[in-house]
Amino acid sequence: MPTMTELVKSLLVTIAVALVLPLNAADAASRGAKELLQYVPADTPYVLASTEPLPDKLADKFEPTVDEVLLAYQRIIRYSMSEELVKLSAEEDGAEKAEQLQGVVDEVLGLMSVQGIRDAGISRDDGFVFFGNGLLPVLRVELSDPAAFSRTIARVEDKVGQKLSVGEVKGETYRYFDLEKIHLIIATLDDQAVVTALPPEFDEQQLAVALGIKKPRKSLAKSKELRAIAKEHGFSDYFTGFVNNERIASAFIGEPQGLNQDLLDLLEYDASELSPTCKTEFMGLAGIAPRMVFGYQTMNDRYLESELVVEMRKDIASGLATLPAPVPGLGQDHGGLVSFGLSLNPLALRQFYEARLDAMEADPYECDKLAAMQIGVAAGREVLNKPVPPVVYGFRGFLAIVDDIQGMDFASEQPPESVDGSFLFAIENAQDLVTMAAMMDPQIAALNLLPDGNPVKLEMAQLAEVAEEAFAALSESAMSVAVGEGAENKAARLLDAEIAEPAPLFSMSMDTARYYGFIGDAMMMADPDEGEEEMPLAVRSALRDVMTLMGSLYKRMRLDVTLTDTGVVMSSRLTLAD
């Protein structure tokens, strides 16, 4: 049975949810929020920053749904806490404790609404930045009303019946509570809320640095690294960030300084146990993907466009860029329920893999901790020496489009009664593949498919169960099959669909409302994994409502993954509901 203190601590996590979820949902920020970057060290290993307010029309569209989503999460938390309240009430003198805990629950959940956040002193125009002061996480949020924020904390303290501990550093006070080996600190400084986690052993100087009372000598505002990323990728100030893998690795492998050194000393981590060779080679591995950057390029009341780029070492990126292949229709939004597909040139993949093995043989890893990786070179050579049917190297990709599904019922596990959709299989010398299949299946031979693009009707019992009509068509480099309404035209059009440039490695688009509806229905019917308790109906219902609400906000979603000379690029577009 959790203690009263443990229950209260778990509820404090809810405060973070109440604060962060609306910020993430609306990505709101004030026009003066760029000043937040002066608190971020230029060498921070990670940062997420929102320093520009959303367009009012978009914020107005988001807020009602955010409110309803938060209400659904309130139901989940209330249900979870209700069992603990019943147990607490059953204990000796537990009624009073249960009443006190109920007051804490009510107070905290009161924050989980748009109005609750505003009443706590945070408006939708307030910016935020989440970053690493060294390895330690820091969240700074602008406050439209610092006094209201302090009153909110005081009300929670009153309900708990226990004040947070108070400390002072450089003439500034802060609140904190002890989570065993770490202090979670909440401070109000310069009309900003600062939340961070620090070891209790840190002295006044270390606290001042972590809280930003002592600003970094060189900040992210001065270095302009974030601005350079935004300019290169077309990111807006609504939301931009990066994770620098090399900086993170160097904290553990190189010569840590400042707060990192103090933190690792407390953790009794000693990088000197690694040999110079291991340090060099581990840093080399981090350099394969030195940085990940992300941000929104467009945010308006019609659609949101964002991009995540995993920057790769030049030779790796150039090799990966050869892997995608041209596939008709891949990289387009075909409407309907969902479409997805991928492209791949198997010969290019083989050549890339072979080049990596060559590199590891020419310059083998000498660090003992990477011995297994080096031994894997021989196994890789064995894989390459195995014979591969020539037809495999002709593969180029596929595209599946589901326009509609009717009659499927998760509750009764009923399969679909009808399906409208199409499928394209791209391969060099597609006629040879059909000829091989015809030798094994008389039905395929009877179709007499020719690479002329003309649709041929499919008479197959398996397809007749879910579609009234089905057609196939063949070109020199692809075969298409379509079922359901308009199948004949779909089969022909798919072969002639536009080929994206550059070719994506993977692409997907979907009707977001129907997708979230399917997920919600699946949650209602999901059986627990072995050894796990079944999720209560009330919780499943609330989660389904969250899915439904998300589906009501977005109309369509599209995701493309491309491989470029820079690295891996994941682009997404969310079209908002009217």
Side-chain angles (χ1 to χ4, degrees):
M1 172 71 183
T3 66
M4 180 72 170
T5 302
E6 289 171 337
L7 289 173
V8 170
K9 285 182 177 179
S10 68
L11 270 173
L12 287 170
V13 177
T14 308
I15 297 178
V17 174
L19 294 175
V20 174
L21 181 59
L23 289 172
N24 284 343
D27 282 334
S30 75
R31 287 172 173 79
K34 293 182 181 179
E35 295 180 3
L36 289 168
L37 299 182
Q38 67 181 307
Y39 297 95
V40 183
D43 60 352
T44 182
Y46 54 89
V47 64
L48 309 173
S50 179
T51 58
E52 181 73 17
L54 285 186
D56 286 337
K57 287 184 178 180
L58 179 57
D60 290 342
K61 180 175 282 190
F62 269 139
E63 283 190 351
T65 301
V66 169
D67 243 353
E68 293 187 71
V69 168
L70 289 174
L71 183 60
Y73 279 120
Q74 284 188 43
R75 288 160 50 197
I76 294 171
I77 294 170
R78 286 189 186 280
Y79 182 89
S80 301
M81 294 304 300
S82 64
E83 294 184 354
E84 302 301 334
L85 288 167
V86 170
K87 293 177 183 178
L88 192 59
S89 297
E91 295 180 358
E92 185 177 354
D93 299 326
E96 184 178 348
K97 293 180 181 178
E99 184 179 355
Q100 181 186 15
L101 181 57
Q102 182 66 66
V104 176
V105 172
D106 292 341
E107 187 65 45
V108 172
L109 295 187
L111 294 172
M112 294 186 65
S113 67
V114 171
Q115 189 58 50
I117 295 299
R118 288 177 180 166
D119 291 343
I122 303 174
S123 77
R124 77 183 191 185
D125 288 336
D126 290 332
F128 73 92
V129 59
F130 176 77
F131 63 97
N133 199 339
L135 296 172
L136 293 168
V138 180
L139 172 67
R140 296 188 76 98
V141 182
E142 284 190 313
L143 298 175
S144 58
D145 189 344
F149 185 81
S150 296
R151 288 194 299 270
T152 299
I153 295 177
R155 285 199 307 272
V156 175
E157 288 177 323
D158 289 340
K159 294 294 184 180
V160 173
Q162 181 180 350
K163 297 289 186 181
L164 294 174
S165 300
V166 177
E168 183 176 327
V169 55
K170 303 290 185 182
E172 300 283 357
T173 59
Y174 62 91
R175 297 179 176 91
Y176 70 92
F177 53 89
D178 187 3
L179 296 175
E180 295 182 0
K181 295 183 179 181
I182 204 79
H183 281 172
L184 182 60
I185 295 177
I186 304 174
T188 305
L189 306 166
D190 298 330
D191 293 341
Q192 298 167 6
V194 183
V195 182
T196 187
L198 295 174
E201 294 87 351
F202 272 21
D203 60 24
E204 184 177 85
Q205 181 70 12
Q206 294 162 322
L207 278 170
V209 172
L211 292 176
I213 296 171
K214 181 180 179 181
K215 296 179 183 177
R217 183 175 303 174
K218 187 174 183 181
S219 69
L220 195 60
K222 292 181 179 179
S223 74
K224 300 180 182 179
E225 180 180 6
L226 205 59
R227 185 182 302 177
I229 290 172
K231 183 177 181 180
E232 179 181 355
H233 297 280
F235 295 155
S236 67
D237 290 330
Y238 298 128
F239 188 86
T240 307
F242 65 79
V243 176
N244 192 305
N245 295 322
E246 288 185 316
R247 290 176 187 169
I248 294 173
S250 65
F252 293 95
I253 299 170
E255 298 296 332
Q257 298 178 357
L259 293 182
N260 283 345
Q261 182 176 0
D262 299 330
L263 178 63
L264 295 178
D265 286 346
L266 287 173
L267 297 175
E268 298 182 353
Y269 175 83
D270 187 2
S272 65
E273 295 179 2
L274 287 174
S275 68
T277 297
C278 285
K279 289 183 179 181
T280 299
E281 292 180 353
F282 276 124
M283 285 304 301
L285 288 174
I288 292 175
R291 192 174 66 172
M292 179 174 67
V293 303
F294 41 85
Y296 281 99
Q297 294 153 323
T298 304
M299 296 189 81
N300 56 47
D301 60 337
R302 293 178 291 115
Y303 60 88
L304 315 176
E305 290 181 330
S306 63
E307 189 172 88
L308 182 151
V309 181
V310 181
E311 298 174 344
M312 309 290 288
R313 199 175 69 199
K314 184 65 178 177
D315 60 321
I316 300 292
S318 298
L320 290 174
T322 65
L323 302 189
V327 175
L330 188 64
Q332 301 175 35
D333 189 341
H334 296 273
L337 177 58
V338 62
S339 65
F340 61 94
L342 63 83
S343 72
L344 182 67
N345 184 329
L347 182 59
L349 177 61
R350 177 191 175 94
Q351 292 170 342
F352 173 76
Y353 184 47
E354 195 168 22
R356 293 304 96 217
L357 296 178
D358 291 343
M360 291 176 68
E361 285 182 343
D363 185 15
Y365 290 114
E366 298 178 3
C367 174
D368 59 319
K369 300 183 185 303
L370 297 175
M373 187 182 298
Q374 191 62 41
I375 292 172
V377 173
R381 291 295 186 194
E382 291 181 8
V383 171
L384 291 178
N385 288 333
K386 291 181 179 179
V388 177
V391 68
V392 171
Y393 288 116
F395 175 79
R396 290 297 178 265
F398 74 87
L399 172 64
I401 303 171
V402 180
D403 295 307
D404 195 15
I405 294 179
Q406 295 295 332
M408 185 167 63
D409 186 0
F410 282 102
S412 61
E413 298 185 359
Q414 176 181 314
E417 296 175 354
S418 66
V419 177
D420 290 346
S422 50
F423 182 84
L424 179 137
F425 186 82
I427 187 170
E428 288 189 348
N429 301 315
Q431 178 67 67
D432 293 345
L433 180 65
V434 173
T435 300
M436 290 174 57
M439 294 172 62
M440 296 180 284
D441 191 331
Q443 284 185 298
I444 296 178
L447 294 175
N448 194 28
L449 268 176
L450 299 176
D452 55 11
N454 294 323
V456 175
K457 190 170 186 178
L458 298 178
E459 302 286 356
M460 294 184 177
Q462 303 93 319
L463 296 178
E465 293 180 2
V466 294
E468 292 185 1
E469 58 180 14
F471 283 83
L474 189 69
S475 69
E476 293 183 357
S477 59
M479 182 179 71
S480 64
V481 176
V483 297
E485 186 177 354
E488 183 174 6
N489 290 332
K490 289 178 184 177
R493 289 202 308 267
L494 195 52
L495 290 178
D496 294 329
E498 183 181 351
I499 294 176
E501 182 62 39
L505 177 72
F506 173 82
S507 183
M508 177 185 70
S509 64
M510 68 172 64
D511 181 323
T512 315
R514 290 194 66 186
Y515 168 76
Y516 279 119
F518 281 132
I519 296 298
D521 290 343
M523 284 180 172
M524 291 296 294
M525 301 306 302
D527 294 324
D529 293 333
E530 186 175 350
E532 292 186 354
E533 293 185 5
E534 184 175 0
M535 187 183 298
L537 179 61
V539 174
R540 281 184 285 161
S541 297
L543 289 174
R544 180 192 58 188
D545 290 347
V546 170
M547 294 298 104
T548 302
L549 289 165
M550 295 301 294
S552 70
L553 185 60
Y554 301 112
K555 183 186 298 183
R556 295 198 64 80
M557 182 188 79
R558 175 177 165 183
L559 171 68
D560 292 315
V561 179
T562 55
L563 304 178
T564 72
D565 288 337
T566 301
V568 182
V569 180
M570 287 171 272
S571 305
S572 69
R573 179 185 175 111
L574 278 168
T575 303
L576 301 180
D578 296 329

